[in-house]
Amino acid sequence: SCHTIGEGDRLGPDLRGVSTSRPAAWLPRWIKEPNLMIAERDPTALALMARYRNLPMPNLQLNDAEVAAVVEYLRAQDTQAAQRR
């Protein structure tokens, strides 16, 4: 309910293109520990929070395998979207 892929922003950003618009190490870390990245004052994390009503992305307590699966899903969605163009 917070994100879409290609259908526009909601409480959080539309995730289309996220796998190519962020550094490779940034995205999995953001998915796994957004609270720490905000506490560390990561510039991208702070900008996202400011843009989306100062709502922080929650830490979903995902393990490494779950984070990797989410990142792979986002990459696959971006690849499919690029192939449709």
Side-chain angles (χ1 to χ4, degrees), residues 21-77:
S21 66
R22 303 282 181 239
W26 188 92
L27 186 58
R29 180 155 187 243
W30 176 244
I31 293 168
K32 184 166 183 152
E33 48 192 23
N35 55 319
L36 295 179
M37 292 181 75
I38 291 167
E40 293 168 357
R41 308 207 45 82
D42 176 88
T44 303
L46 293 177
L48 285 168
M49 200 168 87
R51 183 173 174 189
Y52 296 96
R53 302 183 213 165
N54 285 319
L55 292 172
M57 181 166 148
N59 185 325
L60 300 174
Q61 304 295 313
L62 300 177
N63 64 39
D64 290 340
E66 292 166 328
V67 169
V70 170
V71 170
E72 182 53 38
Y73 175 78
L74 293 169
R75 284 186 184 133
Q77 294 299 305

Side-chain angles (χ1 to χ4, degrees), residues 5 16-17 19 72-82 84:
I5 299 177
R16 173 153 297 152
S19 72
E72 182 53 38
Y73 175 78
L74 293 169
R75 284 186 184 133
Q77 294 299 305
D78 290 343
T79 298
Q80 288 176 6
R84 284 186 232 132

